[in-house]
Amino acid sequence: MLDSTRDADSLFGRLALDPALLPGARAAAARFECRVTPEMLGAAGRGAEDPVLRQFLPAAAELEEVPGFVADPVGDLAAARSPGLLQKYAGRALLVTTAACAVHCRYCFRRHFPYVGQTAARDGWQGALAQLAASPDVAEVILSGGDPLMLSDERLAALWDGLAAIPQVVRLRVHTRMPTAVPERVTPALLALLRRPRFASSVVVHVNHAAELAPGPVAALRALRGTGVALLNQSVLLRGVNDDADALCALSERLFAAGALPYYLHLLDPVAGAAHFAVDEAVGRRLLAQMRARLPGYLVPRLVRESPGQTGKTPVAC
Ligand code: SF4
């Protein structure tokens, strides 16, 4: 069992947080379970407003109903071609490999996703693999979730083998927060899997603040990069976490030093329970302009939003 703090009371006791916030945290955690790993707690500073802790701390604000913030903000359910297989964009398909994550990010766009019956693992991958084999247009498969690195190396290898038998699948992408949440998950067996030459592979990690890049996560990212995969980062622009130019510039610089390129900066998907994290698009555009003035172009992520029914992520003009 993964080492994690999984209830609000433990979190408040461990971090000596203001007890006045505890009832709201308990109520929020009853809707979306609290989960945070020792690595992320170690990266957090003091107080409920710490930019790392804020991402994982259940809060009363999650209980507010805000117009426009909905259960499925990116149209996942409409994109399901079979249980656990989503296709929104040409040439790419996404596998919901597991419901589990090492950490529960309070702003997660899948916080209401009905994982029961909706993961591709439920029948040993057979349905999803058959669907992909019958999809000559799909050249890239994205392993998502939940977090695909919550699966064992053995189960991942079995999935890898199944995908390798589908000739048209030439690119494999892994979306994961594990290298920073649980850096020891980057095992020799995982690295060997990523080194297999069958696919052009990429790993897209999820880091929102430079403080998450402590020595353990940095070593994990460098090990991933050492396999030769493209190592990219996607962040979410979050109020109180990274909504200032200093934080975003520091994040880009630390990511690059660890071997990862900043890829996307997402505007928040309007998921119910996360409105308190939203940052105005105009602020996002201003922050990107400030980054551009301070950093080389390759360290400035693309500011994007995801809208249901579009042919890809929508770039936000800056
Ligand atoms: S790790 Fe990713 S999928 Fe899991 S809760 Fe966080 S944002 Fe959601």
Side-chain angles (χ1 to χ4, degrees):
M1 170 74 79
L2 190 71
D3 183 13
S4 59
T5 302
R6 299 178 66 166
D7 67 88
D9 288 79
S10 305
L11 200 53
F12 273 67
R14 191 165 169 165
L15 300 179
L17 296 169
D18 180 356
L21 302 174
L22 182 55
R26 280 186 188 135
R31 294 188 181 185
F32 181 44
E33 187 190 26
C34 167
R35 189 180 274 211
V36 56
T37 59
E39 188 71 38
M40 285 293 115
L41 287 181
R46 297 182 66 79
E49 297 305 317
D50 174 80
V52 176
L53 184 61
R54 186 169 155 77
Q55 298 175 55
F56 310 110
L57 185 68
E62 295 174 40
L63 309 174
E64 289 167 24
E65 288 187 20
V66 178
F69 284 76
V70 299
D72 180 12
V74 295
D76 272 346
L77 294 178
R81 287 180 50 188
S82 64
L85 176 65
L86 313 184
Q87 188 168 17
K88 296 180 183 174
Y89 309 138
R92 289 150 281 171
L94 181 147
L95 288 182
V96 178
T97 57
T98 170
C101 291
V103 287
H104 281 179
C105 316
R106 306 312 299 177
Y107 53 85
C108 178
F109 68 96
R110 291 208 177 109
R111 55 177 285 164
H112 306 290
F113 189 79
Y115 283 105
V116 177
Q118 283 287 353
T119 69
R122 69 193 230 298
D123 60 356
W125 314 114
Q126 292 314 309
L129 291 174
Q131 184 83 42
L132 287 169
S135 306
D137 59 312
V138 174
E140 178 168 7
V141 172
I142 300 159
L143 307 187
S144 181
D147 194 314
L149 295 191
M150 289 295 280
L151 300 173
S152 68
D153 289 325
E154 294 71 23
R155 290 188 76 197
L156 274 178
L159 176 57
W160 225 267
D161 290 341
L163 292 168
I166 304 174
Q168 67 270 24
V169 178
V170 294
R171 293 191 302 277
L172 201 53
R173 196 189 324 164
V174 179
H175 282 186
T176 178
R177 202 165 189 175
M178 290 292 269
T180 47
V182 188
E184 58 272 25
R185 175 64 188 88
V186 179
T187 59
L190 175 66
L191 297 173
L193 199 56
L194 291 168
R195 275 195 203 95
R196 287 190 191 175
R198 166 64 178 80
F199 301 108
S201 300
S202 55
V203 174
V204 182
V205 295
H206 176 177
V207 187
N208 293 321
H209 194 277
E212 295 165 48
L213 293 170
V218 167
L221 294 184
R222 288 192 179 135
L224 290 168
R225 184 73 191 96
T227 65
V229 300
L231 184 62
L232 307 169
N233 180 64
Q234 54 183 349
S235 304
V236 183
L237 183 58
L238 299 167
R239 193 196 307 167
V241 174
N242 56 13
D243 57 337
D244 72 80
D246 287 346
L248 290 170
C249 288
L251 173 60
S252 279
E253 291 182 317
R254 292 275 283 273
L255 283 167
F256 189 68
L261 276 175
Y263 172 41
Y264 277 149
L265 178 62
H266 294 261
L267 292 174
L268 181 77
D269 297 317
V271 66
H276 55 298
F277 284 109
V279 176
D280 283 349
E281 182 180 315
V283 174
R285 285 201 303 263
R286 192 182 72 226
L287 289 169
L288 262 283
Q290 290 172 342
M291 290 184 82
R292 215 172 281 116
R294 288 165 56 172
L295 294 174
Y298 61 90
L299 291 187
V300 180
R302 278 168 259 184
L303 183 65
V304 293
R305 72 162 71 251
E306 180 165 350
S307 304
Q310 298 299 304
T311 55
K313 304 278 188 291
T314 307
V316 175
C318 296

